[in-house]
Amino acid sequence: MGRIAAAGFESRTYLIEHMDIQQYMTEVGQRARAASRAMARADTAVKNRALSLIAVAIRRDADLLRAANQVDLETARANGLAPAMLDRLTLSEQAIATMIAGLEQIVALPDPIGEISNMKYRPTGIQVGQMRVPLGVIGIIYEARPNVTVDAAGLCIKSGNATILRGGSEAHHCNQALARLVQEGLAGAGLPQDAVQVVDTTDRAAVGALITMPQYVDVIVPRGGKGLIERLIKEATVPMIKHLDGICHVYIDDQADLDKAVKIAFNAKCHRYGTCNTMETLLVARAVAPQVLPQLAKLYQGKEVELRADDEARAILAGYPHLAAASEEDWRTEYLAAILAVKVVADVDEAIAHINTYSSQHTDSIVTENHSRAMRFLREVDSASVMINASTRFADGFEFGLGAEIGISNDKLHARGPVGLEGLTSLKYVVFGHGEVRE
Amino acid sequence: MGRIAAAGFESRTYLIEHMDIQQYMTEVGQRARAASRAMARADTAVKNRALSLIAVAIRRDADLLRAANQVDLETARANGLAPAMLDRLTLSEQAIATMIAGLEQIVALPDPIGEISNMKYRPTGIQVGQMRVPLGVIGIIYEARPNVTVDAAGLCIKSGNATILRGGSEAHHCNQALARLVQEGLAGAGLPQDAVQVVDTTDRAAVGALITMPQYVDVIVPRGGKGLIERLIKEATVPMIKHLDGICHVYIDDQADLDKAVKIAFNAKCHRYGTCNTMETLLVARAVAPQVLPQLAKLYQGKEVELRADDEARAILAGYPHLAAASEEDWRTEYLAAILAVKVVADVDEAIAHINTYSSQHTDSIVTENHSRAMRFLREVDSASVMINASTRFADGFEFGLGAEIGISNDKLHARGPVGLEGLTSLKYVVFGHGEVRE
């Protein structure tokens, strides 16, 4: 049945792969731009209705979705895809339930669009403030994770944007099946189906086209590994909301509560290795290093974490079974693995200097009970998320209370840190007058 | 005396023009990046002290500044610079007084940096909010207007940024003289002189270098004509806060108060012709066009405004001495002159559709007493500033209450509309914890 269900999704693909990709993407862009006008006007109730209908359709067609996913999985296995990638590609019953729950969460979030703030009278008599409006068309480029298709579509619908989704080619059948359900939900609510388009070709030229048509696409949100993002940065003429990597630090100050310090430094490294908010370098103040490092080593040893330490830390850690000497390269490395760089520093000044030199400006945390040092760290560390006495793992849209997350930005312009619905909007100035003119 | 005073400013220029420009700009960039760290940490009082000292120094050296300006003016006249350009280049006594007043206004503005907002407790126990921080290094590229040197330096100092200024080569002597006074003020307040650097070469390659070093420059604010901006867009790899042009509209609805409509449509066109917020196209609802256009024509005739009208408007305006037929090209043209495109439309829908097609998304205004139409216009017109019953000429940082303006953005990302101190800042997430870890 999987093959039969999937066959229907292939006919259009077949046609497109025999069209010119540039022409196809131009048409996709034009349709998105047209749909974005209707989305910007859509009421909250209408957008919520579309999201609910999509959730209903996904629940109804869960078996069909899993069948389409099977086709993708079989091809991927035949092509020798790595087990970790296969895992991400798999649309389990649980994954489908999570997608549905995600849509319901987005329904429950307040609508950011149309909010008017800061209306103030000016001496001329006019009243000036700002209105939150959609960005327009969002392009999203991601790897073979079908759940992103629905999460991203949901966030773009709620924020009044049209979106063009380009998922990894390994998830092509499943993404096309999801696209049909999303478009069914849009149509059911009276919204244009073109508000969410899933690019219907596995040709890589489609990505090249998507990132170079600023006339149709207002911003690109790339989700994927550093290699993908680096390539997109080189070629894109459309602005991006992005982060390249997460080289996150925890600094344990000599006035830290060491119990908190040990808990945080263990959690920040070992809660999950593959996430961008995982600690990659631990900085410890000289005065407490002999106390705190051995305690931490016991915990890390239980997880077989390799420690790459500077000379001072190595002397303290002597005898640790997975110990290596750190080179400068280690300060610049995002391991995404059970490896941690460790460095002893004199004080908060040296910690801030090290972080502002080597951090990827993603997330950095200080552990201290000293108020002045905490406040200096907060102000002077130039990263998207700066924390006091908390694990870097909290740097996440859900944990920060954004409700959902389209991605994380390490850039300073527009959105910085976890990006939720607000990051997909812009503020325009609005003026209420009574016939005023400039004198 | 002008020549003697100016001679001192030339020696360093001489050296630089015999250096490699790329190497020189790299050094400028590195110094700016280093200075930006100190600027980000600087207290409000210190930044205000620097601004006040600069104002004092400019007042003290007004004669020297005017002498340096004379050197520029003589060269410019010898090179046959257009009178309008000479006018902008001239540093009159009045212009110096305005620069000083501008600095004093910036001192009086609240410091945006360090403000923490929206600190909310999350169920995990952490408290999450946002802190306003400087962008880092701002590059400003402008034409031969020496006053921009001081205005831009002032805004960057107050917002805790370092800046690299590249003014038009015609103002080179005057800009270098101003740079010395700005740096004197910075030093007097204990801030690094490199926080404001005025590029000390007239070589155009300096601009090319400035806009392609994202490692040293966080954002470029170009101020100048469309030609300059278009060239920068093509070459820049550093993001820009910019607008290309201002094709602004006034729509007179059939439920407008016609007295207000006439006042607004006259002011929006005739208050000043050369500004980006000047109306370039007037849209009039069919039902009131026969009443309102003849009234307006009387006023426009007094200013010899040329009207380029569609067929319907031309029929109504028959006999107007400066009447021409509008082509589609007129809907896309920023005249910056005593010329106005005029079109009769059916209703607010056609007006919104026309504006969203031809507007440069700068500033558009509706004149109506109908609440529902006003609100639809406000929400659906996709421009940086959208107005009800007010002249488009109000789209300006001072008029909007920003206190000062570094430029206007027609982009949707980051800052939109007039850009003041806030547009030169970013928000980072801050987290206050008590030892929390992710479960």
Side-chain angles (χ1 to χ4, degrees), chain A residues 41 122 135 267 378-379 381 384 386 388-389 391 393 398-399 412 414 426 428-429 431 433 435 438, chain B residues 122 135 267 378-381 384 386 388-389 393 398-399 412 414 426 428-429 431 433 435-436 438:
Chain A
R41 283 194 300 268
R122 299 286 306 148
L135 287 176
N267 182 264
L378 205 66
R379 175 136 175 194
V381 168
V386 187
I388 300 168
N389 295 332
S391 169
R393 285 283 295 136
F398 288 94
E399 295 295 337
K412 293 185 194 177
H414 192 62
S426 174
K428 70 181 178 190
Y429 280 97
V431 174
R438 199 88 183 253
Chain B
R122 298 287 306 149
L135 288 176
N267 182 263
L378 205 66
R379 176 136 175 194
E380 293 179 26
V381 168
V386 187
I388 300 168
N389 294 333
R393 284 283 295 137
F398 288 95
E399 295 295 336
K412 293 186 193 176
H414 193 63
S426 173
K428 70 181 178 191
Y429 279 99
V431 174
E436 283 84 357
R438 198 99 176 248

Side-chain angles (χ1 to χ4, degrees), chain B residues 145-391:
Chain B
R145 302 177 64 175
N147 62 309
V148 174
T149 307
V150 171
D151 292 354
L155 285 164
C156 290
I157 291 170
K158 183 78 180 215
S159 56
N161 290 289
T163 182
I164 302 170
L165 302 168
R166 175 39 156 91
S169 56
E170 299 85 353
H172 188 68
H173 289 97
C174 187
N175 282 339
Q176 289 303 319
L178 286 165
R180 293 189 167 204
L181 301 180
V182 170
Q183 294 181 338
E184 175 190 329
L186 287 164
L191 290 172
Q193 297 197 7
D194 291 336
V196 178
Q197 296 178 79
V198 178
V199 172
D200 196 5
T201 165
T202 55
D203 194 316
R204 285 201 159 206
V207 173
L210 185 61
I211 63 177
T212 52
M213 46 188 208
Q215 65 277 40
Y216 304 125
V217 182
D218 294 289
V219 66
I220 296 282
V221 184
R223 301 190 43 156
K226 193 171 174 173
L228 170 69
I229 315 281
E230 278 177 334
R231 191 160 53 81
L232 295 179
I233 289 173
K234 275 200 201 105
E235 294 171 21
T237 57
V238 176
M240 282 195 274
I241 295 175
K242 61 171 197 308
H243 73 278
L244 261 183
D245 49 13
I247 302 173
C248 302
H249 297 73
V250 171
Y251 164 60
I252 301 178
D253 187 51
D254 58 327
Q255 292 193 24
D257 174 330
L258 295 190
D259 289 341
K260 290 179 190 169
V262 168
K263 266 172 64 188
I264 289 170
F266 179 63
N267 182 263
K269 181 71 235 180
C270 297
H271 184 253
R272 272 180 73 186
Y273 296 121
T275 51
C276 58
N277 55 16
T278 295
M279 168 178 67
E280 303 291 8
T281 299
L282 173 67
L283 304 173
V284 187
R286 183 160 294 128
V288 293
Q291 267 179 279
V292 79
L293 283 178
Q295 286 183 52
L296 270 168
K298 276 184 209 152
L299 296 177
Y300 288 142
Q301 193 170 340
K303 298 281 186 181
E304 299 190 352
V305 174
E306 178 183 340
L307 300 178
R308 300 204 185 158
D310 71 342
D311 290 348
E312 247 181 292
R314 261 199 306 156
I316 298 166
L317 291 163
Y320 185 82
H322 321 286
L323 188 62
S327 70
E328 209 206 343
E329 199 45 37
D330 284 295
W331 312 139
R332 303 185 192 283
T333 302
E334 183 184 30
Y335 302 114
L336 297 170
I339 306 172
L340 176 68
V342 183
K343 184 177 167 67
V344 171
V345 294
D347 52 21
V348 70
D349 289 295
E350 193 182 337
I352 293 172
H354 180 97
I355 291 170
N356 282 339
T357 305
Y358 296 107
S359 157
S360 63
Q361 304 191 297
H362 189 295
T363 301
D364 301 290
S365 182
I366 184 173
V367 189
T368 189
E369 297 300 308
N370 181 298
H371 177 75
S372 299
R373 293 184 196 168
M375 287 298 137
R376 276 201 51 206
F377 190 90
L378 205 66
R379 176 136 175 194
E380 293 179 26
V381 168
D382 190 18
S383 299
S385 299
V386 187
M387 304 184 169
I388 300 168
N389 294 333
S391 169

